[in-house]
Amino acid sequence: MKKPEAPKEPYKSTKKTPQLLRGMRDTLPKDDKYWRAVYGKAQELADAYGFGRIDTPILEEASLFTRAVGRQTDIVEKEMYVFEDKDGEKISLRPEATASVVRAYIQHGMLNLPQPVKLWYWGPMFRHDRPQAGRFRQFTQAGYEIIGDDSPVADAQVILVAYKFYTELGLPVNVQLNSIGTAEDRTRYKVELVNYYRANRSKLCDNCKVRLVKNPMRLLDCKEEGCQPIKENAPRILEFLAEESRKHFMSLLEYLDELSIPYFLNHTLVRGLDYYTKTVFEIWPEPFTPKAEPVAPVDAGPGAVLSVSGAVADETPIVIKEKEPKEAEEAKMPAQVALCGGGRYDLLVEELGGRPTPACGVAPGIERAVQQLRMRQLAVPEINKHELFVAQLGELAKRKALVLFEMLRLEKIPAAEAFSKGSLKFQLEAANEKKIPYALIIGQKEVIDKTVIIRDMDSGIQETVDFQKVVSAVKRKIGRE
Ligand code: AMP
């Protein structure tokens, strides 16, 4: 049995360590397997469905988002990181990437390519939101956009890609679906909605009183308890859709039925960005009851605040006490937190100065996908699954071991090492701990004989092989030949 290492004496420094900013997080090596699995799936689906990769800058003119996302949206009004650069230009850290992708589509003349143009991206987004479980100030989104197709089959494919993204990672999810029609449909609908809400004004929360004047569609987004019955009985936009929007929506439902994608019609789903038209959707995780045993923790970030209900949590937060176990944070993750959001944005290309071009897309949030995988303890492929351990004893042996390690790497045989350690006992214990089946040992004798010992870590049986033949010998042992 390996003796546990003696705890290190606490080091007292007079210097203060700079702290992580609120709402920001580090992704550590222990999380890497989840990120790789999720990225791998995002890329695999992009390739399968014919989406070309696009990367746009993190910094854009602030007006891009003001115009695309909408001046009176939470994202632009409250959450956007905006600053003046040294030339006095108003710059923004992108809060989302659809606007950037559309800008690039116009600037690179992609409307002259065969349509539709299908693009996908992956990268960091920034919103100065109140940090909560699953809500960060820097977070990662993947995105799939189909630009130049007005057919509902494009909406269906975008939903299909997002649905497969989660289900093929093993996450049980459901699709929440609505249509918010065209701008004309909404104008008709808003009159009814405002009349209805005005009649109930005295029962509304303060936020909704503001929304009633500034952005009535967002009334349907309210998570306040008191507003729920009013919201439930509000006029439903599907009943206000003109023939064309209705046909588009019905046709989308038929495609989803054909693809056996389960969906729920959600008449209160309106989404927080102005550019949506017709189809809007979110994908939610199925409810999850944590097991009694501890689950892999997820860091909610420094100074994180939890909300107990609702995805768009404007309600009174509960501050996590510093020592609260991390598992509890996940258990409190609201079930209805959206894993991704998307929809059709037929007016956006035109709004940003391009020829009128219909489009639709989706943006899965990656931290939330990783969080779900960990919380549900779903298996993802292990990375660095070492098949060999290269051990050495003595200075000359260390030199040969370095060369051997390179020989293995060139053959793509994953090997572990502890070159900074001198004790053979320590190295073999490390190999055992990592459940590595074979150790390759070079000591002083092996250096002189130009040999390597192959040790079966399970049985302890050792054999000595010629240095030049060791790679092919281990290849046979680990079934690579
Ligand atoms: P949206 O761009 O607001 O439609 O968001 C799409 C998805 O991005 C959401 O469903 C989340 O998964 C993710 N997301 C949005 N905002 C945040 C945030 N502040 N922190 C973490 N993930 C986020």
mmCIF file of all heavy atoms in Angstrom, residues 241-272:
data_model
loop_
_atom_site.group_PDB
_atom_site.id
_atom_site.type_symbol
_atom_site.label_atom_id
_atom_site.label_comp_id
_atom_site.label_asym_id
_atom_site.label_seq_id
_atom_site.Cartn_x
_atom_site.Cartn_y
_atom_site.Cartn_z
ATOM 1 N N LEU A 241 -51.785 33.581 -36.024
ATOM 2 C CA LEU A 241 -50.893 33.446 -37.180
ATOM 3 C C LEU A 241 -51.685 33.552 -38.484
ATOM 4 O O LEU A 241 -52.758 32.960 -38.607
ATOM 5 C CB LEU A 241 -50.170 32.098 -37.152
ATOM 6 C CG LEU A 241 -49.251 31.818 -35.964
ATOM 7 C CD1 LEU A 241 -48.495 30.509 -36.177
ATOM 8 C CD2 LEU A 241 -48.258 32.962 -35.754
ATOM 9 N N ALA A 242 -51.115 34.264 -39.438
ATOM 10 C CA ALA A 242 -51.729 34.307 -40.769
ATOM 11 C C ALA A 242 -51.475 32.960 -41.452
ATOM 12 O O ALA A 242 -50.648 32.162 -40.996
ATOM 13 C CB ALA A 242 -51.120 35.445 -41.577
ATOM 14 N N GLU A 243 -52.185 32.754 -42.572
ATOM 15 C CA GLU A 243 -52.144 31.458 -43.263
ATOM 16 C C GLU A 243 -50.706 30.956 -43.515
ATOM 17 O O GLU A 243 -50.381 29.799 -43.259
ATOM 18 C CB GLU A 243 -52.923 31.616 -44.590
ATOM 19 C CG GLU A 243 -53.114 30.342 -45.385
ATOM 20 C CD GLU A 243 -53.793 29.207 -44.591
ATOM 21 O OE1 GLU A 243 -54.443 29.503 -43.576
ATOM 22 O OE2 GLU A 243 -53.615 28.040 -44.979
ATOM 23 N N GLU A 244 -49.879 31.867 -43.995
ATOM 24 C CA GLU A 244 -48.526 31.456 -44.390
ATOM 25 C C GLU A 244 -47.717 30.954 -43.174
ATOM 26 O O GLU A 244 -47.082 29.904 -43.226
ATOM 27 C CB GLU A 244 -47.815 32.656 -45.047
ATOM 28 C CG GLU A 244 -46.663 32.268 -45.945
ATOM 29 C CD GLU A 244 -45.324 32.780 -45.418
ATOM 30 O OE1 GLU A 244 -45.283 33.898 -44.839
ATOM 31 O OE2 GLU A 244 -44.341 32.044 -45.549
ATOM 32 N N SER A 245 -47.769 31.708 -42.088
ATOM 33 C CA SER A 245 -47.036 31.302 -40.876
ATOM 34 C C SER A 245 -47.590 30.002 -40.327
ATOM 35 O O SER A 245 -46.847 29.133 -39.859
ATOM 36 C CB SER A 245 -47.158 32.358 -39.779
ATOM 37 O OG SER A 245 -46.706 33.582 -40.224
ATOM 38 N N ARG A 246 -48.914 29.877 -40.375
ATOM 39 C CA ARG A 246 -49.552 28.671 -39.846
ATOM 40 C C ARG A 246 -49.115 27.428 -40.660
ATOM 41 O O ARG A 246 -48.782 26.389 -40.112
ATOM 42 C CB ARG A 246 -51.075 28.831 -39.911
ATOM 43 C CG ARG A 246 -51.837 27.704 -39.217
ATOM 44 C CD ARG A 246 -53.288 27.737 -39.570
ATOM 45 N NE ARG A 246 -53.879 29.024 -39.184
ATOM 46 C CZ ARG A 246 -54.424 29.243 -37.992
ATOM 47 N NH1 ARG A 246 -54.443 28.292 -37.094
ATOM 48 N NH2 ARG A 246 -54.935 30.418 -37.703
ATOM 49 N N LYS A 247 -49.111 27.628 -41.996
ATOM 50 C CA LYS A 247 -48.720 26.506 -42.863
ATOM 51 C C LYS A 247 -47.267 26.093 -42.594
ATOM 52 O O LYS A 247 -46.933 24.906 -42.533
ATOM 53 C CB LYS A 247 -48.865 26.917 -44.350
ATOM 54 C CG LYS A 247 -50.119 26.351 -44.963
ATOM 55 C CD LYS A 247 -50.361 26.795 -46.375
ATOM 56 C CE LYS A 247 -49.347 26.284 -47.390
ATOM 57 N NZ LYS A 247 -49.535 26.949 -48.696
ATOM 58 N N HIS A 248 -46.417 27.108 -42.412
ATOM 59 C CA HIS A 248 -45.002 26.858 -42.129
ATOM 60 C C HIS A 248 -44.866 26.019 -40.856
ATOM 61 O O HIS A 248 -44.136 25.028 -40.817
ATOM 62 C CB HIS A 248 -44.277 28.204 -41.975
ATOM 63 C CG HIS A 248 -42.795 28.073 -41.811
ATOM 64 N ND1 HIS A 248 -41.917 28.255 -42.844
ATOM 65 C CD2 HIS A 248 -42.036 27.761 -40.728
ATOM 66 C CE1 HIS A 248 -40.683 28.056 -42.416
ATOM 67 N NE2 HIS A 248 -40.725 27.774 -41.122
ATOM 68 N N PHE A 249 -45.616 26.411 -39.849
ATOM 69 C CA PHE A 249 -45.524 25.741 -38.554
ATOM 70 C C PHE A 249 -46.055 24.305 -38.636
ATOM 71 O O PHE A 249 -45.433 23.364 -38.131
ATOM 72 C CB PHE A 249 -46.293 26.546 -37.497
ATOM 73 C CG PHE A 249 -45.971 26.150 -36.087
ATOM 74 C CD1 PHE A 249 -44.668 26.160 -35.617
ATOM 75 C CD2 PHE A 249 -46.977 25.751 -35.218
ATOM 76 C CE1 PHE A 249 -44.362 25.796 -34.311
ATOM 77 C CE2 PHE A 249 -46.690 25.388 -33.906
ATOM 78 C CZ PHE A 249 -45.371 25.412 -33.455
ATOM 79 N N MET A 250 -47.194 24.151 -39.306
ATOM 80 C CA MET A 250 -47.792 22.807 -39.423
ATOM 81 C C MET A 250 -46.848 21.866 -40.165
ATOM 82 O O MET A 250 -46.683 20.702 -39.814
ATOM 83 C CB MET A 250 -49.144 22.855 -40.169
ATOM 84 C CG MET A 250 -50.247 23.579 -39.430
ATOM 85 S SD MET A 250 -50.375 23.137 -37.692
ATOM 86 C CE MET A 250 -50.963 21.466 -37.830
ATOM 87 N N SER A 251 -46.243 22.430 -41.189
ATOM 88 C CA SER A 251 -45.336 21.620 -41.992
ATOM 89 C C SER A 251 -44.112 21.206 -41.152
ATOM 90 O O SER A 251 -43.646 20.063 -41.224
ATOM 91 C CB SER A 251 -44.976 22.454 -43.215
ATOM 92 O OG SER A 251 -43.986 21.901 -43.905
ATOM 93 N N LEU A 252 -43.607 22.126 -40.321
ATOM 94 C CA LEU A 252 -42.496 21.797 -39.427
ATOM 95 C C LEU A 252 -42.886 20.646 -38.492
ATOM 96 O O LEU A 252 -42.137 19.691 -38.290
ATOM 97 C CB LEU A 252 -42.087 23.037 -38.617
ATOM 98 C CG LEU A 252 -41.153 22.778 -37.440
ATOM 99 C CD1 LEU A 252 -39.816 22.203 -37.893
ATOM 100 C CD2 LEU A 252 -40.903 24.067 -36.648
ATOM 101 N N LEU A 253 -44.118 20.741 -37.938
ATOM 102 C CA LEU A 253 -44.560 19.684 -37.013
ATOM 103 C C LEU A 253 -44.594 18.329 -37.720
ATOM 104 O O LEU A 253 -44.231 17.300 -37.149
ATOM 105 C CB LEU A 253 -45.947 20.016 -36.445
ATOM 106 C CG LEU A 253 -46.072 21.313 -35.639
ATOM 107 C CD1 LEU A 253 -47.441 21.417 -34.977
ATOM 108 C CD2 LEU A 253 -44.981 21.417 -34.570
ATOM 109 N N GLU A 254 -45.021 18.357 -39.002
ATOM 110 C CA GLU A 254 -45.067 17.092 -39.750
ATOM 111 C C GLU A 254 -43.663 16.505 -39.927
ATOM 112 O O GLU A 254 -43.452 15.306 -39.788
ATOM 113 C CB GLU A 254 -45.740 17.294 -41.114
ATOM 114 C CG GLU A 254 -47.248 17.341 -40.989
ATOM 115 C CD GLU A 254 -47.929 17.936 -42.212
ATOM 116 O OE1 GLU A 254 -47.305 17.978 -43.292
ATOM 117 O OE2 GLU A 254 -49.083 18.386 -42.068
ATOM 118 N N TYR A 255 -42.696 17.378 -40.219
ATOM 119 C CA TYR A 255 -41.312 16.892 -40.359
ATOM 120 C C TYR A 255 -40.819 16.296 -39.042
ATOM 121 O O TYR A 255 -40.172 15.254 -39.014
ATOM 122 C CB TYR A 255 -40.361 18.018 -40.772
ATOM 123 C CG TYR A 255 -40.490 18.451 -42.208
ATOM 124 C CD1 TYR A 255 -40.731 19.778 -42.532
ATOM 125 C CD2 TYR A 255 -40.339 17.542 -43.254
ATOM 126 C CE1 TYR A 255 -40.830 20.192 -43.852
ATOM 127 C CE2 TYR A 255 -40.439 17.945 -44.576
ATOM 128 C CZ TYR A 255 -40.686 19.270 -44.862
ATOM 129 O OH TYR A 255 -40.783 19.663 -46.156
ATOM 130 N N LEU A 256 -41.131 16.977 -37.949
ATOM 131 C CA LEU A 256 -40.653 16.489 -36.649
ATOM 132 C C LEU A 256 -41.304 15.156 -36.303
ATOM 133 O O LEU A 256 -40.648 14.249 -35.784
ATOM 134 C CB LEU A 256 -40.922 17.522 -35.547
ATOM 135 C CG LEU A 256 -40.167 18.845 -35.688
ATOM 136 C CD1 LEU A 256 -40.515 19.787 -34.537
ATOM 137 C CD2 LEU A 256 -38.652 18.628 -35.748
ATOM 138 N N ASP A 257 -42.603 15.030 -36.656
ATOM 139 C CA ASP A 257 -43.286 13.746 -36.423
ATOM 140 C C ASP A 257 -42.607 12.650 -37.233
ATOM 141 O O ASP A 257 -42.350 11.555 -36.737
ATOM 142 C CB ASP A 257 -44.763 13.846 -36.831
ATOM 143 C CG ASP A 257 -45.567 14.686 -35.840
ATOM 144 O OD1 ASP A 257 -45.094 14.846 -34.694
ATOM 145 O OD2 ASP A 257 -46.632 15.211 -36.218
ATOM 146 N N GLU A 258 -42.325 12.965 -38.477
ATOM 147 C CA GLU A 258 -41.690 11.989 -39.372
ATOM 148 C C GLU A 258 -40.338 11.533 -38.794
ATOM 149 O O GLU A 258 -39.946 10.387 -38.912
ATOM 150 C CB GLU A 258 -41.490 12.672 -40.734
ATOM 151 C CG GLU A 258 -41.195 11.738 -41.880
ATOM 152 C CD GLU A 258 -42.371 10.813 -42.227
ATOM 153 O OE1 GLU A 258 -43.532 11.263 -42.142
ATOM 154 O OE2 GLU A 258 -42.099 9.644 -42.533
ATOM 155 N N LEU A 259 -39.624 12.488 -38.178
ATOM 156 C CA LEU A 259 -38.300 12.189 -37.615
ATOM 157 C C LEU A 259 -38.389 11.614 -36.192
ATOM 158 O O LEU A 259 -37.365 11.376 -35.551
ATOM 159 C CB LEU A 259 -37.450 13.472 -37.568
ATOM 160 C CG LEU A 259 -36.959 14.002 -38.915
ATOM 161 C CD1 LEU A 259 -36.516 15.462 -38.792
ATOM 162 C CD2 LEU A 259 -35.811 13.153 -39.441
ATOM 163 N N SER A 260 -39.630 11.449 -35.710
ATOM 164 C CA SER A 260 -39.877 10.956 -34.338
ATOM 165 C C SER A 260 -39.161 11.807 -33.292
ATOM 166 O O SER A 260 -38.568 11.287 -32.335
ATOM 167 C CB SER A 260 -39.431 9.497 -34.170
ATOM 168 O OG SER A 260 -40.035 8.704 -35.119
ATOM 169 N N ILE A 261 -39.190 13.113 -33.487
ATOM 170 C CA ILE A 261 -38.636 14.016 -32.468
ATOM 171 C C ILE A 261 -39.793 14.474 -31.583
ATOM 172 O O ILE A 261 -40.712 15.146 -32.063
ATOM 173 C CB ILE A 261 -37.949 15.230 -33.115
ATOM 174 C CG1 ILE A 261 -36.763 14.759 -33.958
ATOM 175 C CG2 ILE A 261 -37.501 16.235 -32.053
ATOM 176 C CD1 ILE A 261 -36.013 15.864 -34.647
ATOM 177 N N PRO A 262 -39.765 14.092 -30.301
ATOM 178 C CA PRO A 262 -40.873 14.524 -29.437
ATOM 179 C C PRO A 262 -40.781 16.021 -29.145
ATOM 180 O O PRO A 262 -39.693 16.542 -28.923
ATOM 181 C CB PRO A 262 -40.659 13.711 -28.163
ATOM 182 C CG PRO A 262 -39.222 13.286 -28.202
ATOM 183 C CD PRO A 262 -38.741 13.330 -29.611
ATOM 184 N N TYR A 263 -41.915 16.699 -29.176
ATOM 185 C CA TYR A 263 -41.912 18.140 -28.895
ATOM 186 C C TYR A 263 -43.140 18.510 -28.068
ATOM 187 O O TYR A 263 -44.132 17.778 -28.053
ATOM 188 C CB TYR A 263 -41.879 18.957 -30.197
ATOM 189 C CG TYR A 263 -43.013 18.627 -31.148
ATOM 190 C CD1 TYR A 263 -44.276 19.191 -30.999
ATOM 191 C CD2 TYR A 263 -42.823 17.718 -32.192
ATOM 192 C CE1 TYR A 263 -45.319 18.859 -31.847
ATOM 193 C CE2 TYR A 263 -43.848 17.376 -33.048
ATOM 194 C CZ TYR A 263 -45.096 17.951 -32.866
ATOM 195 O OH TYR A 263 -46.126 17.595 -33.689
ATOM 196 N N PHE A 264 -43.021 19.624 -27.383
ATOM 197 C CA PHE A 264 -44.156 20.174 -26.638
ATOM 198 C C PHE A 264 -44.449 21.549 -27.198
ATOM 199 O O PHE A 264 -43.529 22.346 -27.368
ATOM 200 C CB PHE A 264 -43.807 20.319 -25.147
ATOM 201 C CG PHE A 264 -43.605 19.010 -24.462
ATOM 202 C CD1 PHE A 264 -42.348 18.416 -24.409
ATOM 203 C CD2 PHE A 264 -44.684 18.353 -23.876
ATOM 204 C CE1 PHE A 264 -42.161 17.187 -23.785
ATOM 205 C CE2 PHE A 264 -44.490 17.127 -23.248
ATOM 206 C CZ PHE A 264 -43.237 16.539 -23.204
ATOM 207 N N LEU A 265 -45.720 21.822 -27.483
ATOM 208 C CA LEU A 265 -46.057 23.183 -27.909
ATOM 209 C C LEU A 265 -46.082 24.043 -26.652
ATOM 210 O O LEU A 265 -46.759 23.709 -25.682
ATOM 211 C CB LEU A 265 -47.409 23.199 -28.611
ATOM 212 C CG LEU A 265 -47.464 22.379 -29.901
ATOM 213 C CD1 LEU A 265 -48.831 22.525 -30.569
ATOM 214 C CD2 LEU A 265 -46.354 22.784 -30.865
ATOM 215 N N ASN A 266 -45.336 25.122 -26.687
ATOM 216 C CA ASN A 266 -45.209 25.963 -25.495
ATOM 217 C C ASN A 266 -45.555 27.397 -25.886
ATOM 218 O O ASN A 266 -44.740 28.100 -26.476
ATOM 219 C CB ASN A 266 -43.770 25.852 -24.966
ATOM 220 C CG ASN A 266 -43.553 26.644 -23.706
ATOM 221 O OD1 ASN A 266 -44.330 27.567 -23.411
ATOM 222 N ND2 ASN A 266 -42.524 26.312 -22.965
ATOM 223 N N HIS A 267 -46.788 27.785 -25.574
ATOM 224 C CA HIS A 267 -47.260 29.081 -26.078
ATOM 225 C C HIS A 267 -46.620 30.274 -25.376
ATOM 226 O O HIS A 267 -46.768 31.402 -25.828
ATOM 227 C CB HIS A 267 -48.791 29.159 -26.018
ATOM 228 C CG HIS A 267 -49.318 29.341 -24.616
ATOM 229 N ND1 HIS A 267 -49.706 30.554 -24.126
ATOM 230 C CD2 HIS A 267 -49.511 28.452 -23.614
ATOM 231 C CE1 HIS A 267 -50.114 30.406 -22.883
ATOM 232 N NE2 HIS A 267 -50.007 29.145 -22.548
ATOM 233 N N THR A 268 -45.898 30.009 -24.276
ATOM 234 C CA THR A 268 -45.252 31.142 -23.604
ATOM 235 C C THR A 268 -43.786 31.286 -24.009
ATOM 236 O O THR A 268 -43.083 32.163 -23.513
ATOM 237 C CB THR A 268 -45.342 31.021 -22.068
ATOM 238 O OG1 THR A 268 -44.642 29.850 -21.670
ATOM 239 C CG2 THR A 268 -46.773 30.961 -21.585
ATOM 240 N N LEU A 269 -43.331 30.434 -24.919
ATOM 241 C CA LEU A 269 -41.929 30.526 -25.346
ATOM 242 C C LEU A 269 -41.809 31.618 -26.412
ATOM 243 O O LEU A 269 -42.379 31.499 -27.501
ATOM 244 C CB LEU A 269 -41.491 29.181 -25.941
ATOM 245 C CG LEU A 269 -40.031 29.075 -26.316
ATOM 246 C CD1 LEU A 269 -39.174 28.955 -25.076
ATOM 247 C CD2 LEU A 269 -39.796 27.847 -27.197
ATOM 248 N N VAL A 270 -41.107 32.695 -26.070
ATOM 249 C CA VAL A 270 -40.963 33.789 -27.045
ATOM 250 C C VAL A 270 -39.504 34.127 -27.330
ATOM 251 O O VAL A 270 -39.180 34.730 -28.328
ATOM 252 C CB VAL A 270 -41.708 35.076 -26.597
ATOM 253 C CG1 VAL A 270 -43.205 34.887 -26.719
ATOM 254 C CG2 VAL A 270 -41.318 35.491 -25.195
ATOM 255 N N ARG A 271 -38.596 33.730 -26.423
ATOM 256 C CA ARG A 271 -37.161 33.969 -26.568
ATOM 257 C C ARG A 271 -36.824 35.457 -26.450
ATOM 258 O O ARG A 271 -37.619 36.310 -26.764
ATOM 259 C CB ARG A 271 -36.608 33.401 -27.874
ATOM 260 C CG ARG A 271 -37.077 31.995 -28.170
ATOM 261 C CD ARG A 271 -36.115 30.895 -27.868
ATOM 262 N NE ARG A 271 -34.776 31.174 -28.315
ATOM 263 C CZ ARG A 271 -33.745 31.269 -27.496
ATOM 264 N NH1 ARG A 271 -33.915 31.106 -26.200
ATOM 265 N NH2 ARG A 271 -32.554 31.499 -27.944
ATOM 266 N N GLY A 272 -35.582 35.683 -26.004
ATOM 267 C CA GLY A 272 -35.238 37.050 -25.609
ATOM 268 C C GLY A 272 -34.552 37.907 -26.662
ATOM 269 O O GLY A 272 -33.974 38.924 -26.325
#
